[in-house]
């Protein structure tokens, strides 16, 4: 009767009832072997077996509810389910008893280590260490089929935070788990990540992009068949209107070039040359909302009708406070109501990140002779209001380019970037000027302050006072 009441609480629509239910669950399963280790050891072996058996009799049903709680839409319920899961597995004691429930419980436990809510994430990381010890990797490999199935199902979850965590977990499979264990599942994992590329939530797109970049490195032959699709998606992300998404795409494209060598170098660098010139098409006007339809009055009428639609507010899935999940649907980026088209300067900005990543690779050094001058050429366009954001990216990436090319090679290009660097140093935009200060300080360390000062003096002596002012801080 007590378990029946508990299961009703765990199925309740109210998250407070479910949360309390899992707290009761945690207390209840601990009763199976005594309240603590001392009382447990005071029991006779027969009593211990009998008490543990009482849990095992309902084990499958209990594990099903724990799995459900570990995947709940409310973070507080996930945390309470995590407490209950630890109590359940610790109470069972020996590994043989626990392992029969691992196919159900290990995958959600593993995913919650990357969950967006810090409390759930930190507790789940501790949980993983306590439950699996040093066997975590071995257990994931042993139950790889169940783990992959769960991860793929979570890439289709309604909650954008869950989809993001699933992509990060899939990336982890490629990096940390034995390639032989993951290889049979690469196709289905890649398919799931490609679908996440189309997500309305930019953190999901970013996580999917980085995960695919890692998979290409770990499984080059298995990914080769999807390379055309991946190229298109990587370059879409490189042109995204979110800066961190552009940066992630640049990293992933560099991984592709690193993996496939000369066959990828030509394609990626040609695309980079083409897209670096996009800023030339940037319009003068700062028409930030050009992609949105006009007619506020009509929108207001429709919004009121929608807000008062009872069906939209009845029997719907509920989410944690502050969650964007109801607004960020999966797989709808191309038809999104919220994502505006990228502006030409953003396309060029993404390519600056890409050039910086490619400069680190030996296979692309010859191509840098064409890409670096093109990158410098982009800074001559200041006719649009966001050019300082482009300068900020440039200042952040120039030290990366310098280290990638080496002192000797970089010094042949440094004069081409003098004007944008010093324009940024004197800018009133705090982010741009700070990036420029860090840029000149890094370059001074790399090529030597006296050499940098000499180059500046030769290029434009009026810049010396500005340089000295920032180098001495």
């Amino acid at each position: 009767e007590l378990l029946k009441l508990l299961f009703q609480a765990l199925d309740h629509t109210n998250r407070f009832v479910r949360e309390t239910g899992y707290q009761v669950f945690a207390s209840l399963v601990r009763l199976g072997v005594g309240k603590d280790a001392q009382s447990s050891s005071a029991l006779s072996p027969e009593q211990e077996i009998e008490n543990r058996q009482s849990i095992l009799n309902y084990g499958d049903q209990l594990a099903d509810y724990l799995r459900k709680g570990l995947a709940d839409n409310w973070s507080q319920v996930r945390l309470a389910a995590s407490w209950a899961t630890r109590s359940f597995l610790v109470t069972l004691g020996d590994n043989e008893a626990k392992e029969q429930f691992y196919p159900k419980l290990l995958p959600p436990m593993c995913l919650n280590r990357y969950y967006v809510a810090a409390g759930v994430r930190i507790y789940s990381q501790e949980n993983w260490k306590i439950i699996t010890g040093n066997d975590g990797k071995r257990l994931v490999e042993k139950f790889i089929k169940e783990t992959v199935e769960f991860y793929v199902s979570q890439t289709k979850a309604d909650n954008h935070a869950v989809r993001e965590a699933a992509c990060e977990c899939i990336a982890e499979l490629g990096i940390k788990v034995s390639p032989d264990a993951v290889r049979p599942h690469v196709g289905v994992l890649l398919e799931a990540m490609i679908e996440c590329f189309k997500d309305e939530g930019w953190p999901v797109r970013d996580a999917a992009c980085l995960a695919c970049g890692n998979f290409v490195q770990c499984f080059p032959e298995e990914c080769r068949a999807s390379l055309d699709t991946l190229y298109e998606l990587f370059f879409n992300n490189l042109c995204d209107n979110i800066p961190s998404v552009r940066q992630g795409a640049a990293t992933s494209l560099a991984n592709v070039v690193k993996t496939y060598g000369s066959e990828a170098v030509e394609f990626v660098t040609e695309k980079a040359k083409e897209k670096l010139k996009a800023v030339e098409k940037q319009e003068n006007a700062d028409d930030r909302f050009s992609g949105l339809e006009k007619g506020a009055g009509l929108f207001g009428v429709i919004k009121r009708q929608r807000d008062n639609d009872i069906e939209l507010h009845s029997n719907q899935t509920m989410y944690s406070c502050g969650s964007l999940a109801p607004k960020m649907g999966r797989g709808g980026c191309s038809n999104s109501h919220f994502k505006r088209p990228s502006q030409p300067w953003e396309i060029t900005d993404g390519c600056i990140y890409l050039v910086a990543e490619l400069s680190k690779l030996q296979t692309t050094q010859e191509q840098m002779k064409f890409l670096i001058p093109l990158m410098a050429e982009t800074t001559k366009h200041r006719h649009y209001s966001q050019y300082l954001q482009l300068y900020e990216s440039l200042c952040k990436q120039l030290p990366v380019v310098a280290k990638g090319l080496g002192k000797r090679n970089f010094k042949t290009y440094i004069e081409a970037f003098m004007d944008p660097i010093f324009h940024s140093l004197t800018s009133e935009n705090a982010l741009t000027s700070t990036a420029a200060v860090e840029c000149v300080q890094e370059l001074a360390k790399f090529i030597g302050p006296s050499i940098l000062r000499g180059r500046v003096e030769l290029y434009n002596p009026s810049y010396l006072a500005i340089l000295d002012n920032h180098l001495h801080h």
Side-chain angles (χ1 to χ4, degrees):
E1 289 297 320
L2 181 59
L3 281 177
K4 185 178 178 182
L5 178 63
L6 178 63
F7 294 153
Q8 285 179 343
L10 299 182
D11 281 328
H12 204 278
T13 56
N14 188 301
R15 68 100 170 167
F16 293 103
V17 176
R18 297 200 303 278
E19 181 183 2
T20 304
Y22 282 108
Q23 291 168 352
V24 173
F25 190 134
S27 300
L28 190 62
V29 294
R30 280 198 296 268
L31 296 175
V33 289
K35 293 181 181 178
D36 51 41
Q38 291 180 342
S39 63
S40 175
S41 61
L43 297 173
S44 68
E46 292 79 9
Q47 287 175 312
E48 285 188 13
I49 293 170
E50 184 181 348
N51 287 338
R52 188 172 288 111
Q53 190 60 42
S54 66
I55 295 176
L56 291 173
N57 287 341
Y58 296 96
D60 286 332
Q61 201 171 1
L62 294 172
D64 286 337
Y65 276 100
L66 287 172
R67 181 184 175 96
K68 182 181 177 183
L70 290 170
D72 198 276
N73 272 324
W74 285 85
S75 303
Q76 297 90 334
V77 179
R78 279 190 187 237
L79 185 58
S82 298
W83 297 340
T85 302
R86 180 186 292 186
S87 298
F88 177 73
L89 293 174
V90 168
T91 297
L92 289 175
D94 62 271
N95 289 329
E96 188 177 342
K98 289 190 288 188
E99 281 209 12
Q100 63 181 298
F101 303 111
Y102 280 168
K104 292 180 179 178
L105 298 180
L106 273 186
M109 284 172 59
C110 200
L111 182 136
N112 282 340
R113 295 175 304 123
Y114 288 94
Y115 193 66
V116 67
V120 175
R121 183 174 65 251
I122 293 167
Y123 188 85
S124 296
Q125 289 166 0
E126 293 173 358
N127 231 9
W128 187 261
K129 292 175 187 174
I130 290 169
I131 301 300
T132 67
N134 295 321
D135 288 336
K137 179 182 172 184
R138 180 189 66 80
L139 289 170
V140 170
E141 290 171 358
K142 182 174 181 179
F143 300 107
I144 189 68
K145 180 176 178 290
E146 292 81 2
T147 303
V148 167
E149 286 174 357
F150 182 77
Y151 286 174
V152 170
S153 71
Q154 294 305 286
T155 64
K156 301 171 184 175
D158 290 332
N159 192 330
H160 67 94
V162 176
R163 300 195 299 272
E164 180 186 353
C167 288
E168 290 180 358
C169 286
I170 290 172
E172 184 184 49
L173 286 181
I175 297 169
K176 296 182 180 178
V177 176
S178 165
D180 291 334
V182 180
R183 189 165 280 111
H185 308 281
V186 168
V188 67
L189 289 170
L190 203 58
E191 187 179 334
M193 289 187 291
I194 286 172
E195 189 61 31
C196 285
F197 259 107
K198 305 167 188 174
D199 204 278
E200 287 183 4
W202 69 261
V204 183
R205 297 199 301 274
D206 192 23
C209 182
L210 290 169
C212 284
N214 288 331
F215 256 62
V216 164
Q217 270 194 297
C218 300
F219 306 100
E221 291 309 313
E222 289 79 2
C223 293
R224 192 181 291 276
S226 304
L227 204 52
D228 288 343
T229 303
L230 289 173
Y231 271 136
E232 182 183 353
L233 295 169
F234 285 145
F235 277 106
N236 283 345
N237 268 22
L238 191 71
C239 304
D240 200 273
N241 51 41
I242 303 294
S244 57
V245 176
R246 298 197 290 268
Q247 195 167 2
T251 302
S252 295
L253 280 166
N255 284 342
V256 172
V257 172
K258 196 186 303 181
T259 303
Y260 294 110
S262 57
E263 62 181 288
V265 168
E266 185 177 353
F267 180 80
V268 172
T269 54
E270 285 302 316
K271 280 279 189 181
K273 290 174 191 176
E274 173 194 330
K275 292 180 182 295
L276 275 169
K277 299 175 184 177
V279 70
E280 297 171 7
K281 300 174 184 175
Q282 180 67 42
E283 296 177 359
N284 295 343
D286 181 18
D287 192 6
R288 292 175 60 198
F289 304 104
S290 59
L292 301 179
E293 291 183 8
K294 306 295 190 251
L298 176 62
F299 174 78
V301 172
I302 294 172
K303 184 179 185 301
R304 281 194 298 275
Q305 290 177 348
R306 183 183 184 281
D307 288 348
N308 293 324
D309 187 345
I310 295 175
E311 290 185 8
L312 286 175
H313 308 291
S314 304
N315 299 318
Q316 300 296 315
T317 305
M318 292 180 285
Y319 299 89
S320 293
C321 297
S323 172
L324 296 174
K327 298 181 177 67
M328 287 188 174
R330 61 183 177 87
C333 186
S334 57
N335 298 315
S336 171
H337 301 292
F338 306 102
K339 183 178 182 289
R340 63 166 174 77
S342 299
Q343 296 189 42
W345 76 266
E346 290 170 330
I347 298 171
T348 298
D349 183 84
C351 285
I352 289 175
Y353 285 109
L354 177 58
V355 172
E357 292 294 329
L358 294 177
S359 70
K360 303 174 188 176
L361 308 178
Q362 283 300 316
T363 52
T364 56
Q365 291 304 304
E366 192 63 30
Q367 301 296 326
M368 289 297 114
K369 295 176 182 177
F370 306 100
L371 291 173
I372 301 294
L374 275 175
M375 188 165 81
E377 194 68 23
T378 66
T379 64
K380 294 180 180 178
H381 303 280
R382 298 181 189 172
H383 60 279
Y384 56 103
S385 59
Q386 303 96 333
Y387 77 91
L388 285 173
Q389 291 173 250
L390 186 78
Y391 278 20
E392 180 190 342
S393 297
L394 178 78
C395 290
K396 287 179 178 178
Q397 297 307 311
L398 264 184
V400 178
V401 172
K403 290 169 187 173
L405 296 179
K407 292 182 186 179
R408 183 177 177 183
N409 290 333
F410 179 70
K411 282 189 285 188
T412 62
Y413 302 111
I414 193 168
E415 284 85 357
F417 298 101
M418 291 288 188
D419 287 334
I421 290 174
F422 283 92
H423 185 86
S424 299
L425 282 170
T426 55
S427 165
E428 293 181 0
N429 185 306
L431 292 173
T432 303
S433 59
T434 301
V437 170
E438 292 174 357
C439 177
V440 294
Q441 289 174 346
E442 286 288 319
L443 292 178
K445 276 185 200 174
F446 183 65
I447 65 175
S450 58
I451 295 175
L452 179 61
R453 197 176 186 281
R455 290 300 182 97
V456 171
E457 187 175 14
L458 281 171
Y459 183 77
N460 189 339
S462 66
Y463 286 159
L464 275 179
I466 302 170
L467 178 68
D468 290 340
N469 182 45
H470 291 293
L471 285 183
H472 293 144
H473 277 72

